[in-house]
Amino acid sequence: MIEKIVKAADKRKAASISAFRVFQLTEVTTFMVIVEGNSKPQNQAIALAIEDDIKIDFNGQLPISKEGSASSGWILLDYGSVIIHVMTPQMRNFYKIERRWKDAEFFDVTHLMSPQDASNRPYDASMDLENLFDEDNWDQKKDIEGEGDDIDRDEEDPFWK
């Protein structure tokens, strides 16, 4: 199913596709896939392409749950063993889901995608902090990288914009 999801998202030009196994970390699901669309209409098209391809190839299977909408910038498709997040870059950067699942087993899915330019590389959460600060602000970086799931409280939640 992961292969079908990645290919469906790729055919709608999704960017930064990540897939990882989380079964050892949660009882909710086995796999998570996160894809990025550059606009709300593109996110809707990506989610519909995934739903259609899964329905065709998996005997009419529909998501158990579908949450969010293109207008919110985040669509979640729950297929039980696989949860798919279709997000705008702003939502993905704000919520940093990959960071919360840092102990998960990440899969390289680039071989499933069509030849790509640099913007379609898999998302690398480690780049968030590396590119955020220059050497003069190293102490500020250490504060953010500290223990627990620190969230930048000054940043506005893109959902409420």
Side-chain angles (χ1 to χ4, degrees):
M1 186 180 272
I2 302 298
E3 181 176 332
K4 184 53 68 178
I5 292 165
V6 170
K7 287 182 176 184
D10 183 56
K11 80 178 177 186
R12 292 290 179 224
K13 308 293 185 208
S16 302
I17 301 172
S18 297
F20 44 99
R21 187 186 330 232
V22 296
F23 79 95
Q24 73 277 22
L25 304 173
T26 182
E27 295 177 8
V28 174
T29 190
T30 304
F31 292 95
M32 283 207 192
V33 178
I34 303 174
V35 302
E36 201 173 282
N38 290 316
S39 67
K40 293 171 184 180
Q42 183 186 16
N43 283 354
Q44 185 66 40
I46 292 167
L48 288 173
I50 291 169
E51 284 184 78
D52 289 345
D53 286 7
I54 296 295
K55 187 176 179 181
I56 290 168
D57 289 0
F58 291 88
N59 299 320
Q61 184 175 356
L62 298 172
I64 296 168
S65 177
K66 182 176 179 179
E67 304 293 330
S69 66
S71 63
S72 74
W74 188 348
I75 301 170
L76 182 140
L77 302 172
D78 183 353
Y79 283 93
S81 63
V82 181
I83 294 178
I84 304 141
H85 300 271
V86 182
M87 309 172 86
T88 60
Q90 296 84 0
M91 295 295 273
R92 189 173 190 170
N93 187 45
F94 183 81
Y95 288 104
K96 295 177 178 36
I97 294 175
E98 284 93 344
R99 204 158 97 183
R100 298 198 186 282
W101 297 101
K102 66 181 184 250
D103 295 329
E105 178 185 352
F106 282 79
F107 289 100
D108 180 12
V109 294
T110 53
H111 67 283
L112 300 172
M113 297 183 275
S114 51
Q116 59 208 10
D117 60 314
S119 68
N120 202 22
R121 289 193 189 122
Y123 179 78
D124 182 1
S126 67
M127 297 303 289
D128 289 340
L129 291 175
E130 289 175 19
N131 294 326
L132 190 58
F133 300 102
D134 58 23
E135 294 172 11
D136 298 330
N137 295 323
W138 212 228
D139 291 333
Q140 190 178 7
K141 178 180 177 182
K142 287 179 186 175
D143 290 341
I144 291 177
E145 287 180 328
E147 297 297 318
D149 287 332
D150 295 336
I151 296 174
D152 184 1
R153 302 287 181 205
D154 295 334
E155 187 174 350
E156 186 177 337
D157 184 340
F159 177 78
W160 297 108
K161 282 187 177 180

